Amino acid sequence: DAKTTQPNSMESNEEEPVHLPCNHSTISGTDYIHWYRQLPSQGPEYVIHGLTSNVNNRMASLAIAEDRKSSTLILHRATLRDAAVYYCILRGYAGGTSYGKLTFGQGTILTVHP
Amino acid sequence: SAVISQKPSRDICQRGTSLTIQCQVDSQVTMMFWYRQQPGQSLTLIATANQGSEATYESGFVIDKFPISRPNLTFSTLTVSNMSPEDSSIYLCSVLGDSYYNEQFFGPGTRLTVL
């Protein structure tokens, strides 16, 4: 599985935007970029995913570099509830039900200050 | 979306014993997984639970230690056998959704402490 690199930790103030970076220089053409987060004492939850184009949903935005070797998860206005470990994961997809495994790295611990 | 429940939510066990963890999903799903999260660590995939056939284990995990059953498309069990303190972890069940987002849903986990 292709590897991702994330900062160990980041801090933000409430209601400010947060940009969480992820490097994935060995990404292959069939790898999708997925982001999950794990709130304290809970299982991980899906945040967003993309392939080449930038993506937006109600939780966040995903900005993908043109060469796909890096991406950034953007939380537009951080809240205290956004304090979590954020995982950037590459997941292969070969069509149909041929999904690659979801392999978690160490992630980025996001602290949000009131 | 898929709602996943796990039983038990936590347990304290003696070394040498076994514990079976149950995972129930509120809808039929094709792919179901078991993960382990050791204290202060990230999640590690143990195996893919296949309906009607033997589970597919990841490197470092074996069937004798972590037998898995998947009798139907909504239920699976993971047994942690002959436990030692090193097995103290959170064990999470996960399923792959069927939507365009191909998101994976996770259960709340089972916190296991082995004395």
Side-chain angles (χ1 to χ4, degrees):
Chain A
D1 294 326
K3 190 177 169 64
T4 63
T5 304
Q6 299 178 252
N8 291 332
S9 62
M10 292 186 66
E11 297 187 17
S12 173
N13 294 317
E14 201 174 10
E15 298 193 5
E16 290 184 355
V18 181
H19 291 234
L20 297 165
C22 180
N23 288 320
H24 29 78
S25 58
T26 60
I27 190 170
S28 74
T30 56
D31 285 337
Y32 281 73
I33 302 159
H34 286 248
W35 284 82
Y36 281 74
R37 72 179 184 181
Q38 187 172 23
L39 302 173
S41 301
Q42 294 188 28
E45 63 177 357
Y46 168 84
V47 177
I48 200 167
H49 81 283
L51 183 62
T52 56
S53 304
N54 294 346
V55 184
N56 301 296
N57 66 20
R58 62 176 179 81
M59 290 181 69
S61 295
L62 176 60
I64 302 173
E66 196 167 334
D67 63 4
R68 299 210 325 127
K69 294 185 177 182
S70 66
S71 61
T72 302
L73 179 70
I74 302 166
L75 307 179
H76 295 285
R77 291 182 67 211
T79 68
L80 296 178
R81 194 194 174 276
D82 290 322
V85 181
Y86 286 79
Y87 298 99
C88 170
I89 304 168
L90 300 183
R91 182 176 217 167
Y93 179 55
T97 58
S98 299
Y99 296 101
K101 291 171 278 191
L102 207 62
T103 303
F104 288 79
Q106 290 305 306
T108 296
I109 300 171
L110 176 65
T111 302
V112 180
H113 299 288
Chain B
S1 67
V3 178
I4 303 170
S5 59
Q6 289 185 229
K7 290 181 182 179
S9 59
R10 60 177 61 224
D11 207 342
I12 301 173
C13 301
Q14 298 297 319
R15 72 169 64 215
T17 63
S18 298
L19 176 72
T20 295
I21 302 167
Q22 298 180 5
C23 175
Q24 180 74 53
V25 190
D26 69 342
S27 59
Q28 293 187 338
V29 293
T30 304
M31 301 190 74
M32 189 177 278
F33 310 91
W34 286 98
Y35 286 81
R36 179 177 74 181
Q37 187 167 29
Q38 295 176 300
Q41 301 297 312
S42 183
L43 285 79
T44 301
L45 180 63
I46 297 172
T48 301
N50 301 308
Q51 196 265 328
S53 65
E54 198 169 278
T56 304
Y57 289 85
E58 296 301 305
S59 176
F61 297 95
V62 295
I63 187 171
D64 290 345
K65 176 67 176 177
F66 297 102
I68 289 170
S69 79
R70 178 124 189 242
N72 56 53
L73 293 177
T74 64
F75 185 79
S76 177
T77 67
L78 168 75
T79 299
V80 186
S81 303
N82 188 24
M83 288 183 286
S84 66
E86 292 70 38
D87 295 320
S88 297
S89 296
I90 298 173
Y91 292 86
L92 298 106
C93 174
S94 177
V95 303
L96 185 64
D98 293 331
S99 76
Y100 157 80
Y101 304 100
N102 61 69
E103 59 189 288
Q104 202 159 313
F105 299 93
F106 288 81
T110 295
R111 183 179 295 271
L112 171 62
T113 301
V114 183
L115 303 177

